[in-house]
Amino acid sequence: MRDLTAGMRYLGRGQRWVFGHGRWFGFGLLPALVALVLYVAALTALAFYADDIAAWATPFADGWDGLWRDSLRVLFAVLLWLGALLVSVLTFTAATLVIGDPFYEKLSEQVEESEGGAPSGPDRPMWAEVWISLRDSLYVLWRMLLFTVPLFFLGFLPAIGQTVVPALGFAVSGFFLTLELVSVAMQRRGIPVRERLRILRTRKALALGFGVPLVLAFLVPLVAVVLMPGAVAGAALLVRDLTDDGGPGDEQDPASGRFGDEPPRTHAQTHAQAHGQAQPSAQPHAQPQHPAQAPGFSAPKPQAPDPRSQWGSPR
């Protein structure tokens, strides 16, 4: 339950962030607007040619009575358009992320910078970033269809199809929508799409708390366009929790500017590091190690013993 409400809080924090930074909100609207125009144009063209497509797909009805033939083809055209609308809803986020990859990468990075620092992403040309984003989106869509197609047919069952199946459908859509949105920040960290899926599986409630409200909101026309910038911003904040970047107890390393690269130090370890002594192990039952063998130390060159020092520390 805690993870479920935490996911909702991340979504709310992302929306507050973009509305508090109007320039970045407008910047993040552009890809969603472009995707919306393309989808509306495609659905309009499909509606215009739906009758011709229905006639081409049902040649066996040419010899039927006019009423039955026209009824069949009208039903076919309506179902075809509704199916295209469903596919549009399922793929809108993925298409928007592919179209707006450079935009959302900058937006996500700016959000993380405002929270204390963003990891430096891999140095790749723009075409490579777009190709990776497209490939990952197709993988996510394929995995989502493995669930949504069976749920579509189960929806025809009495009682269950009108109660349990819709709830499962929203949960599946919310989970995979979260997977799509966190891809921007996780791709910057070099996390492959299969590893992203594994990470979200360990925090299902967090992913559902973030994604399911978005799925419900996206059912309202044009709301997806308005909420997309905040969704990307909230996903960047969520990734910082999933990858322990900037989480509780983490401190920024001034030398590298990265978060969460190593576990928090104990007071004894911090004191030992400040005085050049061997750091005690963080594990209570760990065997003592020679400083040259301890993690983080490089073996010193052999030197003559210095009677004034012990382990390299002044007496």
Side-chain angles (χ1 to χ4, degrees):
M1 187 63 182
R2 181 180 299 178
D3 269 357
L4 195 65
T5 56
M8 297 178 186
R9 285 198 300 270
Y10 280 118
L11 180 59
R13 286 178 59 192
Q15 300 301 329
R16 287 196 301 271
W17 193 96
V18 294
F19 282 112
H21 299 75
R23 182 171 69 90
W24 288 102
F25 174 68
F27 185 77
L29 279 179
L30 293 177
L33 288 173
V34 172
L36 178 65
V37 170
L38 293 176
Y39 272 87
V40 169
L43 290 173
T44 302
L46 179 62
F48 184 78
Y49 290 104
D51 291 339
D52 295 334
I53 297 174
W56 170 82
T58 58
F60 55 86
D62 289 340
W64 290 10
D65 181 73
L67 176 63
W68 290 104
R69 182 187 64 242
D70 293 343
S71 299
L72 173 67
R73 289 176 175 173
V74 168
L75 178 61
F76 182 92
V78 170
L79 291 177
L80 176 65
W81 194 88
L82 290 177
L85 179 62
L86 176 61
V87 172
S88 299
V89 172
L90 294 176
T91 60
F92 179 82
T93 301
T96 304
L97 291 175
V98 171
I99 294 171
D101 183 75
F103 293 84
Y104 291 138
E105 175 62 34
K106 287 293 184 183
L107 173 60
S108 177
E109 184 177 353
Q110 186 65 29
V111 172
E112 293 209 59
E113 289 291 349
S114 70
E115 291 294 313
S120 56
D123 187 13
R124 286 192 291 252
M126 183 179 296
W127 68 265
E129 294 287 348
V130 174
W131 165 248
I132 292 173
S133 180
L134 176 61
R135 183 191 63 191
D136 292 350
S137 295
L138 291 175
Y139 174 81
V140 173
L141 178 61
W142 173 70
R143 293 300 298 262
M144 181 171 61
L145 289 176
L146 293 179
F147 291 92
T148 55
V149 171
L151 287 175
F152 173 78
F153 290 105
L154 289 175
F156 293 101
L157 296 177
I160 296 178
Q162 292 73 47
T163 54
V164 178
V165 172
L168 290 176
F170 283 123
V172 170
S173 299
F175 179 86
F176 283 101
L177 178 58
T178 303
L179 179 60
E180 282 281 2
L181 291 168
V182 300
S183 295
V184 178
M186 287 193 175
Q187 184 174 320
R188 182 165 58 249
R189 288 164 169 79
I191 302 175
V193 63
R194 289 175 176 80
E195 180 66 12
R196 299 170 208 165
L197 181 59
R198 187 198 65 79
I199 292 173
L200 284 186
R201 280 174 175 170
T202 65
R203 302 289 295 275
K204 289 187 182 72
L206 185 67
L208 293 176
F210 185 87
V212 171
L214 273 177
V215 171
L216 296 174
F218 283 6
L219 295 176
V220 182
L222 302 180
V223 170
V225 177
V226 178
L227 295 185
M228 272 300 293
V232 173
L237 299 172
L238 187 146
V239 168
R240 292 177 68 83
D241 176 47
L242 288 175
T243 59
D244 294 329
D245 289 348
D250 288 347
E251 296 181 349
Q252 183 178 7
D253 183 357
S256 63
R258 295 177 66 88
F259 289 82
D261 288 340
E262 59 182 23
R265 299 179 183 275
T266 63
H267 176 73
Q269 287 175 310
T270 305
H271 177 77
Q273 183 185 28
H275 292 81
Q277 298 175 345
Q279 298 183 26
S281 172
Q283 300 178 359
H285 300 293
Q287 296 296 327
Q289 293 177 306
H290 191 280
Q293 300 173 343
F297 285 86
S298 58
K301 297 180 179 179
Q303 296 179 352
D306 188 350
R308 296 173 298 173
S309 64
Q310 180 180 11
W311 305 110
S313 173
R315 288 180 181 266

